[in-house]
Amino acid sequence: MSKKLSGVEELQLGDASPFVLSRRSLLRLSLAGGALLIGAPGSAFAAGEPKAGGTLTIGADADPIGLDPTTVTAFSSYDFTGLIYSGLLRWTADMKIEPDLAVSYEVEGGTTYVFKLREGVKFHNGQPFTAEDVKYTFDRILDPATASRLRAQYEIIKAVTVVDPLTVKFELTGPDAAFLNYLATNPDGAIVPKGLANIDTNPVGTGPFVFESYQPNQQFSLKANPDYYEDGLPYLSSVVFKFYKDQATITSALRSKAIDMTWLKDPRVAAQISKTSPDLASAPGQTSRTFPIWLNMKAAPLNDVRVRRALSLATDREACVQTVLGGSGKVGAMVPESHVGGYDGVSEFPYYKYDPAQAKQLLAEAGHPNGIDLGEYIVVAANPLDVACAQILQQQWQAAGITVKISAMETAPLLAKWSSGDWPTLLSVALSWSPDPDAIFARLKSDSAFGAGMGMADTALDAMISEARAELDPASRAARNLDIQKHVADNAYVLQIYQYPLRWELWWNQVQGYAPLAANTRLFVRTTWVDK
Amino acid sequence: MTRVVLVRFAWTAAILLGVSFIAFMLMRALPGDFAVAAAGTTSVAPEVLEAIRRDMGLDQPLISQYLLWLGNALSGDFGTSFVTKRPVLEELPPRFIVTVQLTAVAAVIAMVMGVATGLASARLRGRVDWVVRIYNGLILAVPNFVVGTLIVLLFGLYFPHIPLFNYTPFLADPIGNIGSLLLPAFALALAVSVTISENTRAAVLEVANQDFVMVARAKGLRPRTIVANYLVRNALTPVITVTGLQVASLLGGSILVETIFAIPGMGQYLFDSITSRDYPVIQAIVLLAAAVVVCVNMLVDIAYARADARVKI
């Protein structure tokens, strides 16, 4: 097709040539973090008499991808399933388990759990909640045809039996310390109504809020569930999520009070914004995310433990916490602090000391006296924190004679590489909070697809992980989990740099009664009221 | 003339077919797919990913996937969004209207700014001319998403009470709708206004040297009359053409501007769909945008031929 600018072209004079139409290439925007501000502002919880009514407007950074708790895989969906559905158990604000749809449970012989269910609970469509729904939910999860991501973690369930309408029995194949944690997590333990189709787009649960409407990329509206079983809750009459895809936009929307609350990804930006007004409450949340470097140990040079230890010794973790996170985080290990046996960021771990001289010596022993080039270090381009940390690590490692080339990649292809074990040497994908540390350790087992992808072949570690999951006593389990992490650090299977809150939550102080969770779902909207 | 128009339509169909094929293959050439994008960083077993792919028909050979899509599209079925599980044809129209509104407001802003600065630099010469041309050069070098981000940040910091992010639907409040589109449209219009300004300047200079203007001057008409009746009227024809041809860059610009200002239009939808690899939606939007650009170009050509007897199509 010919584009004729004929009229214009004939008009050209010596000094009056029009600009050529320019084509602009698409660039991914990332919010450049502002000035470095160190220190976390305290959160402000004002006390007062809860008020019923009102609307809470939340700024969300991602749309849900599906709303059926059994089949969702995207973190962005959890925020919505967390308000619509409830499970047998739930987390308290300080990450303890308490009853929800169950009123109590008994354990028999460490492998059989009998739950007594709450009476008079109804689903949003009026259908009464019974043991049948519990059985239906878990049978559906365990059915391979459903292709639920939850099947793997519930494989330990042998059978779910309806004892009577308000009693349900779970029989496990062996003792499992992770089982209750999964049940208490939303969406992993969310109960769906028996025999109802299309809950992916028209969700129906027993939770505090009822799904009202959803316009993709614009807003997601919920209204209070009049039949919710907790007396007087929820206080709010409606909750509206508004979607802003850009971190700069979400920040400005909060400042202009277009939204009452939101969360930010960059702790430095969040710290800065929270200082802009005394009426902003902010809660850094609990450490729930770690920044690991996954090593490909299937081939040289990283199949040599000395090279891996050298890499660990050449890493100044504390410096990364200070520069990248502005101090809003801690040194990390496999399991974040908010978990059973999580690492506190202070105790000495093997090869955690920053010692470039010893790193050089280890490299020389491994046959690299003149340093080593590890090639590509792949990071998520869309996460500015990850990229910043990778750049700092690159400089630190250089001091010990280790050279890497940073390759920032789009998320989808990076995840494809990561899950298939197809990366040259180093790759970083942050690990977020999961209901139980076992989900994190499972990646290190030599018989898991992921572990095989990394080149794990440590049968002693496999046994330690299985034993820890079967340990029902929390104190002993914490000790075991800590041992596993020490073992991982000692062999430098994965390099963990720091741990930090996945999201930093901010809200205007007219929002009261809210508490952030390490799980990073906004479950406590159910106890929130708005004082406008 | 009829034959010419028919040939045009045949070309249009061929172009759209080519665009749909290229867009399809380009998206599939990107590493990663919907299953992986949806799974995010949560640990999902490979067999779960496989099941999602089977569900979406992503395990078929590429060419048969394309032919299936094409067959459905020709019968008016553009499939279902992977993310929202709703028919694409239901999702698109309201967003398309929003983008049309945004680009229309942007086109008006670009016209007003472009014609004003172009006219000023052509008529006043000297220092004004220099200022305008330097300004044009600078503005053309600044991408619209940078302008947009700066507007968002500055207003967020210094005028937090101005409701920047409350996009108002037209039917709810027509005035508020235009108001909520002003700043994003401005960000979108800046670069286009420069092109219009340069073209206006060139056209006015060209027309000013024509005989009929000399005659008008000689007759002693007032300068204002000459500018209004002779210069602007004759110089605007090419300017309108250029504006029409800029629709493509306005549509392209809307992708990031809508994303930054949280405007629920087609551009933002495309950005999101590419990120989440929502193939059916990407296909439909790319096709629609290509159709709009092709049609506008065709209309501009036809209108030009009608307006100017010297042009043959």
Side-chain angles (χ1 to χ4, degrees):
Chain A
M1 161 161 182
S2 63
K3 238 190 207 151
K4 289 200 189 60
L5 276 168
S6 31
V8 181
E9 277 157 8
E10 289 163 20
L11 292 172
Q12 288 187 7
L13 294 176
D15 65 336
S17 58
F19 282 101
V20 188
L21 305 186
S22 63
R23 290 241 163 73
R24 297 185 187 288
S25 59
L26 277 185
L27 286 179
R28 226 171 211 293
L29 284 174
S30 65
L31 174 64
L36 281 169
L37 281 164
I38 307 221
S43 53
F45 295 101
E49 199 52 47
K51 277 194 198 166
T55 298
L56 177 71
T57 311
I58 301 176
D61 51 19
D63 280 72
I65 301 182
L67 295 161
D68 176 350
T70 301
T71 57
V72 290
T73 54
F75 169 72
S76 58
S77 296
Y78 303 178
D79 230 8
F80 305 93
T81 57
L83 297 180
I84 296 168
Y85 300 91
S86 32
L88 296 175
L89 307 168
R90 69 183 180 198
W91 294 106
T92 61
D94 55 356
M95 299 310 289
K96 300 271 184 298
I97 290 178
E98 67 177 9
D100 194 355
L101 289 177
V103 282
S104 67
Y105 65 89
E106 285 167 11
V107 195
E108 296 161 13
T111 55
T112 305
Y113 289 76
V114 179
F115 291 89
K116 285 266 173 243
L117 306 181
R118 198 173 293 278
E119 239 178 301
V121 175
K122 281 202 199 99
F123 282 99
H124 298 161
N125 62 353
Q127 191 177 323
F129 157 76
T130 69
E132 291 287 348
D133 301 300
V134 179
K135 178 172 168 57
Y136 168 80
T137 300
F138 285 91
D139 286 352
R140 191 165 159 253
I141 288 173
L142 294 171
D143 179 359
T146 314
S148 169
R149 73 178 175 91
L150 304 171
R151 191 163 70 102
Q153 69 196 40
Y154 284 127
E155 261 177 339
I156 192 127
I157 297 177
K158 192 160 60 180
V160 183
T161 332
V162 176
V163 178
D164 64 53
L166 292 178
T167 315
V168 66
K169 184 168 78 176
F170 286 80
E171 286 168 276
L172 310 186
T173 52
D176 180 16
F179 178 60
L180 293 181
N181 294 350
Y182 287 130
L183 287 189
T185 301
N186 199 305
D188 303 35
I191 302 298
V192 300
K194 183 178 179 177
L196 200 65
N198 298 334
I199 54 172
D200 209 23
T201 44
N202 293 306
V204 172
T206 49
F209 292 93
V210 180
F211 169 70
E212 194 171 23
S213 67
Y214 169 44
Q215 295 90 36
N217 288 333
Q218 294 178 66
Q219 65 173 45
F220 190 105
S221 310
L222 299 145
K223 57 181 193 297
N225 173 6
D227 302 328
Y228 187 56
Y229 78 82
E230 279 187 276
D231 255 350
L233 292 183
Y235 298 121
L236 295 163
S237 55
S238 55
V239 178
V240 174
F241 286 84
K242 288 190 170 178
F243 297 104
Y244 303 99
K245 301 294 151 114
D246 181 70
Q247 293 281 297
T249 311
I250 222 169
T251 330
S252 295
L254 181 75
R255 296 258 303 116
S256 67
K257 299 201 177 178
I259 48 178
D260 299 319
M261 72 186 318
T262 189
W263 55 32
L264 296 175
K265 292 176 183 172
D266 189 329
R268 288 171 316 184
V269 175
Q272 216 184 324
I273 296 296
S274 62
K275 286 194 174 72
T276 56
S277 165
D279 294 337
L280 267 177
S282 85
Q286 304 173 49
T287 55
S288 57
R289 187 174 212 190
T290 61
F291 181 70
I293 300 163
W294 305 95
L295 311 175
N296 181 349
M297 298 171 287
K298 293 197 292 283
L302 292 176
N303 56 4
D304 185 335
V305 69
R306 289 169 299 190
V307 177
R308 300 200 302 264
R309 284 171 176 166
L311 201 56
S312 184
L313 287 166
T315 306
D316 186 349
R317 293 172 172 80
E318 191 51 47
C320 294
V321 173
Q322 293 310 328
T323 45
V324 183
L325 304 178
S328 310
K330 294 173 176 179
V331 170
M334 277 322 282
V335 176
E337 207 182 6
S338 45
H339 270 303
V340 183
Y343 174 60
D344 63 2
V346 188
S347 348
E348 191 53 51
F349 257 38
Y351 304 99
Y352 261 46
K353 191 168 77 268
Y354 177 54
D355 190 345
Q358 203 195 334
K360 275 184 176 161
Q361 194 191 328
L362 271 176
L363 280 178
E365 283 172 28
H368 309 283
N370 305 320
I372 184 169
D373 183 349
L374 290 179
E376 260 192 312
Y377 173 19
I378 301 171
V379 289
V380 179
N383 191 333
L385 292 182
D386 291 9
V387 177
C389 191
Q391 287 164 337
I392 285 164
L393 291 171
Q394 186 185 31
Q395 289 170 11
Q396 291 177 357
W397 295 340
Q398 197 61 59
I402 301 167
T403 315
V404 293
K405 182 172 147 293
I406 295 175
S407 150
M409 199 181 272
E410 210 215 341
T411 314
L414 183 142
L415 291 175
K417 276 182 181 298
W418 184 55
S419 55
S420 60
D422 163 38
W423 70 93
T425 47
L426 309 169
L427 176 143
S428 273
V429 175
L431 271 189
S432 300
W433 188 90
S434 48
D436 191 87
D438 185 71
I440 298 172
F441 291 151
R443 297 187 170 280
L444 302 169
K445 291 177 89 158
S446 54
D447 55 5
S448 71
F450 188 83
M454 268 203 307
M456 290 295 300
D458 185 339
T459 45
L461 180 67
D462 293 353
M464 286 167 86
I465 292 171
S466 305
E467 284 160 19
R469 182 166 175 170
E471 176 62 72
L472 296 181
D473 172 49
S476 325
R477 187 166 186 227
R480 282 179 186 275
N481 284 349
L482 211 55
D483 283 345
I484 294 172
Q485 295 178 80
K486 279 199 175 120
H487 184 89
V488 171
D490 188 38
N491 291 286
Y493 290 134
V494 178
L495 285 194
Q496 286 281 7
I497 309 301
Y498 49 55
Q499 52 181 327
Y500 63 106
L502 168 65
R503 297 283 189 273
W504 184 311
E505 304 197 32
L506 295 149
W507 59 91
W508 289 102
N509 63 4
Q510 75 247 21
V511 175
Q512 308 202 341
Y514 179 77
L517 266 174
N520 275 115
T521 43
R522 297 183 173 100
L523 298 183
F524 285 90
V525 166
R526 72 170 185 269
T527 60
T528 297
W529 74 96
V530 184
D531 193 2
K532 279 182 188 165
Chain B
M1 189 75 188
T2 326
R3 202 184 70 85
V4 170
V5 171
L6 283 177
V7 169
R8 260 298 159 84
F9 273 115
W11 263 115
T12 305
I15 287 170
L16 293 184
L17 190 70
V19 164
S20 76
F21 181 74
I22 292 169
F24 189 96
M25 290 302 162
L26 276 179
M27 272 319 295
R28 297 302 206 279
L30 282 178
D33 62 3
F34 170 75
V36 171
T41 51
T42 49
S43 49
V44 174
E47 59 266 26
V48 173
L49 294 181
E50 276 314 311
I52 295 177
R53 287 186 191 120
R54 241 198 331 277
D55 237 24
M56 307 281 176
L58 295 175
D59 52 347
Q60 307 288 327
L62 273 190
I63 197 75
S64 54
Q65 279 186 53
Y66 174 72
L67 291 175
L68 184 70
W69 174 84
L70 187 67
N72 289 339
L74 287 176
S75 61
D77 171 16
F78 283 85
T80 315
S81 158
F82 288 174
V83 173
T84 63
K85 314 273 195 302
R86 292 200 273 197
V88 176
L89 277 186
E90 270 175 38
E91 300 264 4
L92 265 186
R95 294 171 169 282
F96 181 64
I97 291 165
V98 170
T99 299
V100 168
Q101 281 174 350
L102 175 69
T103 43
V105 176
V108 171
I109 293 177
M111 284 280 278
V112 170
M113 282 173 50
V115 171
T117 54
L119 204 58
S121 90
R123 293 298 300 157
L124 301 171
R125 309 282 169 84
R127 190 170 301 171
V128 176
D129 192 15
W130 275 113
V131 169
V132 168
R133 303 215 68 199
I134 289 170
Y135 157 88
N136 282 354
L138 284 177
I139 292 299
L140 197 65
V142 183
N144 56 30
F145 56 83
V146 172
V147 176
T149 308
L150 283 176
I151 291 176
V152 165
L153 285 174
L154 293 176
F155 274 78
L157 283 173
Y158 299 113
F159 309 104
H161 48 277
I162 294 184
L164 249 187
F165 307 105
N166 286 339
Y167 169 78
T168 328
F170 187 77
L171 292 176
D173 174 8
I175 302 295
N177 168 266
I178 304 288
S180 65
L181 288 176
L182 275 180
L183 281 170
F186 173 77
L188 195 53
L190 261 187
V192 176
S193 78
V194 169
T195 313
I196 295 174
S197 162
E198 287 290 320
N199 278 292
T200 307
R201 180 176 175 277
V204 169
L205 287 177
E206 161 78 10
V207 176
N209 295 333
Q210 304 262 354
D211 292 347
F212 66 87
V213 179
M214 293 288 202
V215 173
R217 278 219 193 93
K219 284 200 297 196
L221 291 178
R222 269 183 313 200
R224 189 183 307 171
T225 317
I226 294 179
V227 170
N229 291 356
Y230 290 73
L231 280 184
V232 173
R233 184 173 300 180
N234 287 294
L236 272 193
T237 324
V239 169
I240 288 168
T241 316
V242 171
T243 311
L245 294 175
Q246 288 287 327
V247 165
S249 61
L250 284 177
L251 275 181
S254 72
I255 295 174
L256 289 177
V257 168
E258 284 177 5
T259 304
I260 294 166
F261 286 90
I263 296 171
M266 218 171 60
Q268 185 210 47
Y269 198 30
L270 179 62
F271 182 93
D272 236 49
S273 308
I274 291 174
T275 315
S276 58
R277 301 280 194 276
D278 195 342
Y279 301 128
V281 176
I282 299 167
Q283 285 295 103
I285 295 181
V286 168
L287 204 61
L288 183 58
V292 168
V293 172
V294 170
C295 290
V296 167
N297 279 347
M298 205 159 71
L299 289 175
V300 165
D301 281 355
I302 292 171
Y304 214 83
R306 302 299 295 263
D308 190 335
R310 291 171 304 175
V311 180
K312 286 268 191 301
I313 51 170

